[in-house]
Amino acid sequence: MSLSGKKITVIGAGIGGLTAAIALRKRGAWVTVLEQAEAITEVGAGIQVSPNGFAVLRALGLGDRFRQIAVQGQAVELRDYRADSLVARLDLGLLPEDQPYFFVHRADLVDILADAARAEGVKIRLLQKVNTVEATETPVVHLANGADMKADIVIGADGLHSRLRPVLNGVTAPFFTRQTAWRAIIPNVIGHPNVSRVHMAPKRHMVTYPLRGGELINIVAVQERTGWAEEGWQHKDDPANLRRAFGDFGGDAKRMLAAVEDVGLWGLFRHPVAPVWHRGHTAILGDAAHPTLPFMAQGAVMAMEDAWVLTDALEHADTVEAGLAAYQARREDRVKKIVETANGNAWKYHLSFPPMRFGAHMGLRVVSKLAPKKLMQQFDWIYRHDVTKG
C-alpha cells in the first residue's frame, strides 16, 4: 500500500509523534501534527538514547545532527550511596562502534525532530487541544475549539493522558508504586564524566549523567515511600525535601544535591500496556500505548521504535487495517518485556537488608572485574535490536 498522498493526522508533538511524522512524510504522506501547547517545548530534562533509538534517528538522516547536541556515554557506573565508591562498571565501549549510547537534553532532541519535520513539509499546528477521536475507517478528530478534522489515518502519540487510548480501551486506573521521583538539572559542579552513575541506597537511588557538552548534569532521584504524589513532572517541590530524603548520600552525590535549585516531583505509577492499539484507521504509539517506569531508560526510545515500525507496517500492507494490525503484532511482545523489566528493576538498586545488600554488591564487583562483557550482554536484546533492518 502506498502512503503517497494519504492525509495523516498525528496527535502530539513529542518525540514519538514527531518521529512518526517524519517517517510518514518521507514515504509521501501529507502529515499534520496537532499540539495543544502554544509552542513545541519540553520540560527541561535529560533522556538516554540507547543504540536501538539512535538506529531510528540515523535511518531518518538525523544521526550526524544528533551527535552534535548529545553526549556519547562511555559507561554506566553503579556506586554505593554513602562512600560514593564504585560497585560495578558497565563499559558502553564494549558495544559495537556503530551502536553508540547517548545522553541528551529532551528539548534538544525535540528541536531537531521539529526542524526536520518542518523541513520535510509536515504541518505542525499549535494550540490544538483534542477532545476525542472517532476511531472509524473515516476518522475524525474533534477539537476543543469546536473544529473537526478528518483524515485517512489518525495516530495518537499524546502520551499518558492520550485522548485516543480511552476510545480504544476504555479508562483504566493506574497503580501507585509507592515510589516518587525528583528530577533536576544543575551546572556540572563536579566535573561529571561522560558516564551514567547510579548511586544505590536502601529504598532509594539517584541517577546522574551529563548533558550539553558536559555543561549540565541531569539528576533523577527515586525514593520508596507511602505518601502519594501526583503523576507528571510539572509538579514542583522544595529542593530541601530532596536533600532531606537523600541527606546521608556522600561524595559527589552530596555535592550535586547541594547544587539543586529547582526540582520537579513525580509519583511513579504502573499503567497496563493497552490491549487494543488500533481500530478502524486509528492507532496509538509510545506512552499512549505502553507507559513504562523510568528504570530501563527506554520510554522515548520505544516511542521512536514504534514510529518506525508503524510506518513500515503501513507501507508493506495491503490495507490500512492490515498495516495497523501488523504494527501491534510486531511491537507488542517487545514493549511488554520492556515494561515488565522496568517494573522489576528498581528493587535491585534499593536493597536494604544488609547481608543481601553486601552479597549483591560483592557479586556485582566480581562480575564487573572478571566478566565485564557478561554484564553488557544481558542488554543485547534491547540495544542490538534494530527496527530499521527488520
Side-chain angles (χ1 to χ4, degrees):
M1 178 183 67
S2 172
L3 290 173
S4 182
K6 287 199 177 294
K7 295 181 180 179
I8 301 180
T9 297
V10 177
I11 304 170
I15 291 171
L18 291 170
T19 302
I22 296 166
L24 291 162
R25 180 70 191 112
K26 280 182 173 291
R27 287 160 177 80
W30 294 108
V31 184
T32 300
V33 177
L34 304 180
E35 170 55 45
Q36 67 176 345
E38 64 182 12
I40 298 181
T41 58
E42 279 285 351
V43 176
I47 60 171
Q48 300 181 49
V49 176
S50 49
N52 48 313
F54 181 68
V56 175
L57 295 172
R58 183 170 50 209
L60 293 175
L62 301 175
D64 289 342
R65 188 172 175 199
F66 178 76
R67 284 180 178 272
Q68 293 172 2
I69 55 93
V71 173
Q72 185 166 344
Q74 298 172 347
V76 176
E77 295 180 352
L78 306 181
R79 307 183 75 88
D80 178 73
Y81 74 108
R82 194 184 297 273
D84 200 19
S85 56
L86 183 66
V87 174
R89 189 175 193 272
L90 287 75
D91 186 359
L92 296 174
L94 295 174
L95 292 168
E97 188 175 342
D98 65 342
Q99 294 182 352
Y101 195 110
F102 295 98
F103 314 127
V104 66
H105 199 295
R106 182 184 291 267
D108 295 343
L109 175 54
V110 168
D111 284 348
I112 285 179
L113 293 171
D115 289 347
R118 290 190 177 103
E120 291 286 346
V122 173
K123 294 181 180 179
I124 299 177
R125 295 179 54 179
L126 306 173
L127 293 171
Q128 304 296 308
K129 185 176 181 180
V130 174
N131 270 348
T132 190
V133 179
E134 293 181 28
T136 65
E137 292 184 5
T138 55
V140 181
V141 178
H142 297 286
L143 300 171
N145 61 12
D148 296 333
M149 287 191 63
K150 297 180 180 179
D152 295 316
I153 303 171
V154 173
I155 307 299
D158 45 347
L160 284 173
H161 305 294
S162 172
R163 308 304 290 180
L164 180 53
R165 174 176 169 135
V167 173
L168 303 180
N169 294 274
V171 178
T172 55
F175 169 75
F176 181 47
T177 65
R178 295 183 179 270
Q179 297 179 92
T180 54
W182 287 268
R183 186 171 68 180
I185 291 181
I186 63 169
N188 192 347
V189 294
I190 64 163
H192 200 301
N194 292 351
V195 303
S196 174
R197 288 178 171 173
V198 184
H199 307 261
M200 303 178 295
K203 299 184 178 181
R204 293 158 296 158
H205 77 276
M206 185 172 83
V207 178
T208 63
Y209 51 84
L211 301 172
R212 290 184 174 166
E215 295 180 2
L216 303 174
I217 297 173
N218 189 73
I219 297 176
V220 178
V222 178
Q223 179 191 34
E224 296 178 18
R225 71 182 195 185
T226 56
W228 182 82
E230 289 190 65
E231 192 170 29
W233 288 121
Q234 69 271 22
H235 308 295
K236 296 295 184 181
D237 196 26
D238 188 337
N241 293 331
L242 168 63
R243 283 189 275 271
R244 184 161 43 248
F246 292 79
D248 52 350
F249 277 47
D252 285 343
K254 187 177 186 67
R255 287 189 284 274
M256 287 186 283
L257 289 167
V260 174
E261 295 183 356
D262 185 59
V263 66
L265 177 67
W266 191 344
L268 298 182
F269 289 75
R270 289 183 188 170
H271 297 256
V273 174
V276 179
W277 295 19
H278 63 93
R279 183 191 303 159
H281 287 199
T282 68
I284 50 179
L285 63 77
D287 280 353
H290 46 79
T292 180
L293 293 173
F295 304 134
M296 289 299 294
Q298 286 292 302
V301 171
M302 286 299 104
M304 289 191 283
E305 285 190 0
D306 283 354
W308 181 276
V309 173
L310 171 62
T311 303
D312 184 70
L314 284 169
E315 188 177 39
H316 289 92
D318 293 330
T319 65
V320 171
E321 292 89 344
L324 297 180
Y327 153 64
Q328 180 170 353
R330 288 167 59 177
R331 294 295 296 156
E332 191 168 15
D333 286 348
R334 177 165 170 80
V335 299
K336 280 183 175 178
K337 188 175 180 181
I338 291 283
V339 170
E340 290 166 2
T341 303
N343 287 347
N345 224 29
W347 71 270
K348 298 176 183 178
Y349 304 143
H350 293 186
L351 295 173
S352 55
F353 184 52
M356 183 179 294
R357 179 179 172 81
F358 176 81
H361 287 196
M362 181 60 70
L364 282 169
R365 285 190 176 95
V366 171
V367 175
S368 178
K369 290 180 180 179
L370 300 182
K373 288 185 179 180
K374 186 175 181 180
L375 276 182
M376 284 303 304
Q377 286 170 350
Q378 65 181 308
F379 301 110
D380 281 355
W381 67 277
I382 301 176
Y383 300 159
R384 299 198 180 194
H385 185 85
D386 186 346
V387 295
T388 70
K389 295 180 179 178

